[in-house]
Amino acid sequence: MFERSLPAAPVRAGRPTREQAQARHAALLDCALQHFLEKGYDGATIEAIAADVNMTKRTVYARHPDKAALFRAAIRHGTEARAAPAHVIAGTRRETLKDTLIAIAMLRIALVSQPGSRAPAADQHRGLSFSGHFPDLLRNCGSALSALSGRDTGE
């Protein structure tokens, strides 16, 4: 008699598991963030992002109705993935607004300098070009800074 080897794991066709779907969505958001950082909002396309993660445009649009929604989701995902824990952020509060901002800047430099950071400091300046499309994101940043410093922004 001869022995027959069985495949290690059968290839499963059909719907992905919840974990697989979550991993694919995270990969989509990571890829989208990279495209937006490298090409700017106007230069990034749904077609190129979808192609880079081997998805169809239809799949991307099923999760995000338009480019703006994908951008917002990618920014939120990237921010959450790279954010410092709350206790570390709270530790940046200083006596003056100037000292608090310096502490926040130093924390940000440390975060983007970490190995594995997928948003190099050199690419981050492109984020400023998004402000014309998403002024509410800038307002949210201002509100967060005022909360850290304990001051009112006047809004």
Side-chain angles (χ1 to χ4, degrees), residues 18-150:
R18 181 182 309 240
E19 293 79 19
Q20 290 170 329
Q22 289 171 341
R24 295 259 305 143
H25 190 239
L28 168 65
L29 296 177
D30 287 337
C31 180
L33 183 60
Q34 278 307 116
H35 274 255
F36 289 123
L37 286 172
E38 291 171 6
K39 299 171 180 154
Y41 180 80
D42 293 326
T45 65
I46 298 288
E47 293 84 359
I49 294 166
D52 278 1
V53 289
N54 295 319
M55 284 184 184
T56 64
K57 287 191 322 181
R58 182 178 178 186
T59 302
V60 175
Y61 282 119
R63 293 182 176 262
H64 305 283
D66 55 27
K67 184 175 169 180
L70 178 60
F71 173 79
R72 288 177 183 283
I75 293 294
R76 187 178 319 107
H77 173 78
T79 302
E80 290 170 357
R82 292 163 183 83
H87 71 278
V88 173
I89 295 170
T92 62
R93 183 175 279 181
R94 302 291 188 268
E95 291 294 316
T96 67
L97 177 60
K98 177 183 175 185
D99 291 340
T100 299
L101 292 174
I102 290 170
I104 292 169
M106 297 305 288
L107 175 60
R108 183 66 183 137
I109 290 167
L111 289 173
V112 299
S113 299
Q114 289 177 350
S117 174
R118 287 173 281 180
D123 287 338
Q124 303 231 348
H125 71 279
R126 291 189 179 100
L128 298 175
S129 68
F130 305 143
S131 62
H133 294 283
F134 303 93
D136 59 308
L137 292 179
L138 287 180
R139 281 194 301 277
N140 290 344
C141 290
S143 298
L145 285 175
S146 67
L148 278 172
S149 67

